[in-house]
Amino acid sequence: MSTMPAAAQGAASERLILGFGDSLMAGYGLKGSESFPAQLEARLRAEGRAVRVHNAGVSGDTTAGGRARLPWVLNSLKKKPDLAILELGANDMLRGLPPAQTRANLDAMLTEFKKRGIPVILAGMFGGPNLGVRYVDEFNAIYPALAKKHGAVHYPFFLKGVAFNQPLLLPDGLHPNRQGVGVMVANILPTVRRSLDALPAQRTAASAGATGAAPALRRD
């Protein structure tokens, strides 16, 4: 019989999703409860799923910034994420940074996730047409190629249904408002559901105690 408090047992049995990205993940200009991680968690919990979505978004972050801070973020969590949503690259594109640099940084982050046994949904971004055909073609090819290389789930466009849709954007015309985030969540939800359903069954502390085995301890 497990002696773990009920609250701790509940936390241990929750699926942890890491939302790792830039301002689109962080919730720029929004209340914390209106951010993408918060709205995604609310939708999943409304479906009866025991899920927590950790917001590891940093506004203004480039792929280089994400690459530098990823190990620290993963090491600071109390539980290893069951799933990660990696959303970075928009700021690289807006700054006109070389696509090869963006690719190398995303490649390194996907390698880090794979090394730690964390499945990933790679949320893509499309290059702006003002950057020229060659740049756009190189940038747009990054996400599907890396998803295939690392066995990640490719979600083609994080801002699907929201980009250039002014009623769903903040006055800056770039970031989603609360309603826009709701559309983003609704669009990606089937992909997240499939990824969660594909995870191996969790071994809870209660079930481990019933067989006399000590529960496995994991760090994220």
Side-chain angles (χ1 to χ4, degrees):
M1 183 175 178
S2 172
T3 58
M4 184 182 293
Q9 288 188 46
S13 64
E14 281 182 340
R15 294 293 195 186
L16 175 62
I17 300 175
L18 174 66
F20 192 82
D22 50 35
S23 56
L24 301 177
M25 185 68 69
Y28 173 85
L30 304 175
K31 298 176 183 176
S33 61
E34 298 173 341
S35 68
F36 176 86
Q39 291 199 44
L40 177 61
E41 180 179 299
R43 288 290 298 269
L44 291 168
R45 285 186 173 271
E47 297 177 356
R49 295 178 183 266
V51 171
R52 182 166 63 89
V53 184
H54 180 77
N55 189 342
V58 172
S59 294
D61 217 3
T62 61
T63 56
R67 178 179 182 176
R69 69 185 175 91
L70 178 60
W72 179 87
V73 169
L74 292 173
N75 291 334
S76 69
L77 295 172
K78 295 179 180 179
K79 179 182 186 294
K80 185 175 96 172
D82 297 285
L83 177 68
I85 301 174
L86 175 57
E87 173 276 311
L88 280 169
N91 288 315
D92 295 47
M93 180 265 295
L94 291 174
R95 298 178 189 186
L97 299 178
Q101 178 178 311
T102 301
R103 179 188 291 266
N105 290 328
L106 287 170
D107 194 2
M109 285 183 274
L110 288 165
T111 298
E112 183 70 19
F113 280 121
K114 182 184 288 186
K115 182 177 74 175
R116 295 175 184 246
I118 302 170
V120 176
I121 296 174
L122 179 59
M125 188 58 57
F126 291 139
N130 59 304
L131 295 168
V133 174
R134 180 177 178 182
Y135 186 99
V136 169
D137 286 348
E138 290 183 18
F139 185 87
N140 291 353
I142 292 171
Y143 297 91
L146 289 180
K148 182 177 180 180
K149 175 181 177 180
H150 291 277
V153 173
H154 178 219
Y155 183 73
F157 188 36
F158 195 54
L159 285 170
K160 177 184 175 183
V162 176
F164 307 113
N165 191 342
Q166 195 56 52
L168 298 179
L169 298 171
L170 294 176
D172 64 11
L174 294 174
H175 295 91
N177 57 26
R178 178 178 62 82
Q179 293 83 2
V181 172
V183 171
M184 293 163 62
V185 168
N187 285 335
I188 202 173
L189 202 54
T191 302
V192 175
R193 286 193 198 108
R194 287 192 296 271
S195 294
L196 288 173
D197 291 342
L199 295 174
Q202 291 198 119
R203 213 165 157 231
T204 65
S207 65
T211 60
L217 297 178
R218 299 193 307 174
R219 282 195 66 191
D220 24 14

